[in-house]
Amino acid sequence: MTCSVDNNNSTLSLEYILKNPASDLFKEFANYLQQSYCIENLEFWIATQEYKKCTNDTLLASRCEKMINAYIRPNSPHEINIPCDMRQTILELYHQGIFHPHIFGDAAEAVLELMRINSFVPWVMLNRREDKMSGMKHSSSSSSLTERWNLVKLKQISRKSWSSSSSSFDYSSDDRFTFSVSSYSNNSVYKSMLKRIKKSLSGHQRQ
């Protein structure tokens, strides 16, 4: 599902925003999530992508415990809204000592769709209304969402192909979240958010 933001048969997708954390669109969307009190969805999703990259069993177990205590347990500090049976399955696997890199796969998918329906679509619609009002007032003080998206597309023209990008989505495999976040490591937006995630996770002990 994507949400159209212009009239040139192009669409702005949530996936595009998530894999371009250095962009203004990502910053604005993250700010919208913060203001609407659901930033934990984005933080959890990013944390799951980092978790999947871990190959050290000891570190994997430690990270799993922290994520369980921060996002999964009922009444946890940053509890995410996922189905009860999904939450229970994750907790059962955790208590069995199973820390597979994809233990949070279903939860990540559920949170992604939750962000899409409850946050991304309303955010795009809000921007479109503001763009329309701005156009009626002939205001040129700031660029509209459509104009920023068009600028993004112009920048893409100079690229040879998406395959040369360090970030990529692959929805053709069984694992719908085969996602590389290597491009995140060198930008301040991601570092700031990851730092906040790590800070929120620190200190949580297994209950």
Side-chain angles (χ1 to χ4, degrees), residues 98-116:
I98 299 175
F99 312 116
H100 191 276
H102 299 290
I103 186 175
F104 299 108
D106 288 342
E109 181 176 351
V111 165
L112 183 71
E113 292 308 311
L114 190 65
M115 278 197 293
R116 190 191 314 280

Side-chain angles (χ1 to χ4, degrees), residues 13-16 18-19 45 49 109 112-113 116 168-179:
S13 68
L14 175 58
E15 285 79 4
Y16 178 85
L18 292 179
K19 72 174 184 177
W45 188 86
Q49 309 314 304
E109 181 176 351
L112 183 71
E113 292 308 311
R116 190 191 314 280
S168 61
F169 274 90
D170 179 9
Y171 290 103
S172 60
S173 62
D174 290 338
D175 175 18
R176 292 181 60 192
F177 287 89
T178 302
F179 181 84

